[in-house]
Amino acid sequence: MAKKISSDVMVLLDGYDLGTAGISTRVSLASVPLDPTVLGDAAERVIGGQRKDTFEYSGLFDDDAASVNAAAGALLGSAAKLATLALGTAIGNLAYTGTCFLLKAALPARIGELVKFEVNLVADQSMERGKLATTGKNTILASGTGTTGTGDNSAASVNGGNFYIHQLSQSVGTVQYGLQHSSDGTTWVEKVRVVGGTGRNWGGTAFTGTLNRYTRITGTGGTSGTASYAAIIVRS
């Protein structure tokens, strides 16, 4: 994707990175209203468990952002894709994630040497609130296993959750991503695994039961080249 002038916000859609130096970010979590059946009924009602969340983002690039436009054009009007808005690029930073439709992508407008880009996404139901499990985008080398730094979640959780992977590039054959956890930060056990597929891709899987205090991500590559990815953990 286009060269960034900063990396304070990471916005991932499908296998594309739309993040850059953020101007504004807004996540809207909303229930679906229920129209009254009686004229003049003043009671406010919602449909239990039904949501219609959205997020809006605008940022600056330091080149013509042609590849960002190409990504938006390819995804506009397509089926829902996994989207993640990470507020910062350090392990443990807050991230909202969910399958979303790209509702609107504003054409970049040049401001001096910078290019402004805006994107609006609407969730297919709801966004999940989780944490970034990689330092920005991690890279896995060929014929080996790459491991992220350790995330410290202060305590274990017992109600399961979801594990998501955004694969931004891949030239190593099929990559497998494992979510490992530990009670002491020393002894690690794999909790669940996602197969990354080829090229730009994403995947996710649910896990049940206890997830220990410390977490990290492993990625096992193929025969040659590298893979770039980001991971998100959502605890229920």
Side-chain angles (χ1 to χ4, degrees), residues 28-31 51-55 121-127:
S28 300
L29 309 179
S31 297
R51 298 249 300 273
K52 206 64 178 178
D53 299 342
T54 61
F55 75 73
L121 297 130
V122 58
D124 181 13
Q125 291 287 326
S126 60
M127 301 289 287

Side-chain angles (χ1 to χ4, degrees), residues 34-46:
L34 180 64
D35 292 333
T37 57
V38 179
L39 187 63
D41 186 353
E44 191 73 28
R45 298 180 178 88
V46 296

Side-chain angles (χ1 to χ4, degrees), residues 132-177:
L132 189 62
T134 51
T135 304
K137 301 182 290 280
N138 268 52
T139 298
I140 297 197
L141 299 177
S143 301
T145 298
T147 304
T148 67
T150 299
D152 184 349
N153 297 284
S154 301
S157 58
V158 298
N159 296 317
N162 292 304
F163 172 49
Y164 297 105
I165 287 288
H166 286 270
Q167 185 170 274
L168 302 164
S169 65
Q170 171 271 345
S171 61
V172 297
T174 300
V175 182
Q176 297 190 41
Y177 302 97

Side-chain angles (χ1 to χ4, degrees), residues 65-231:
S67 54
V68 177
N69 260 350
L75 294 168
L76 193 64
S78 66
K81 306 291 186 182
L82 185 67
T84 295
L85 169 63
L87 304 181
T89 56
I91 292 176
N93 279 17
L94 177 64
Y96 288 92
T97 191
T99 51
C100 293
F101 299 95
L102 180 58
L103 190 66
K104 174 185 175 183
L107 294 174
R110 183 169 293 281
I111 305 172
E113 296 300 316
L114 301 176
V115 175
K116 184 179 180 182
F117 180 73
E118 298 178 353
V119 63
N120 297 71
L121 297 130
V122 58
D124 181 13
Q125 291 287 326
S126 60
M127 301 289 287
E128 297 178 85
R129 184 177 183 270
K131 289 185 176 181
L132 189 62
T134 51
T135 304
K137 301 182 290 280
N138 268 52
T139 298
I140 297 197
L141 299 177
S143 301
T145 298
T147 304
T148 67
T150 299
D152 184 349
N153 297 284
S154 301
S157 58
V158 298
N159 296 317
N162 292 304
F163 172 49
Y164 297 105
I165 287 288
H166 286 270
Q167 185 170 274
L168 302 164
S169 65
Q170 171 271 345
S171 61
V172 297
T174 300
V175 182
Q176 297 190 41
Y177 302 97
L179 168 58
Q180 295 186 341
H181 65 146
S182 170
S183 59
D184 57 9
T186 301
T187 303
W188 297 90
V189 176
E190 185 169 287
K191 182 69 175 176
V192 73
R193 179 172 288 218
V194 170
V195 178
T198 59
R200 291 191 179 96
N201 214 318
W202 61 271
T205 187
F207 58 87
T208 59
T210 299
L211 187 68
N212 289 323
R213 172 175 175 174
Y214 300 99
T215 55
R216 69 182 187 182
I217 313 302
T218 63
T220 304
T223 56
S224 62
T226 61
S228 174
Y229 72 100

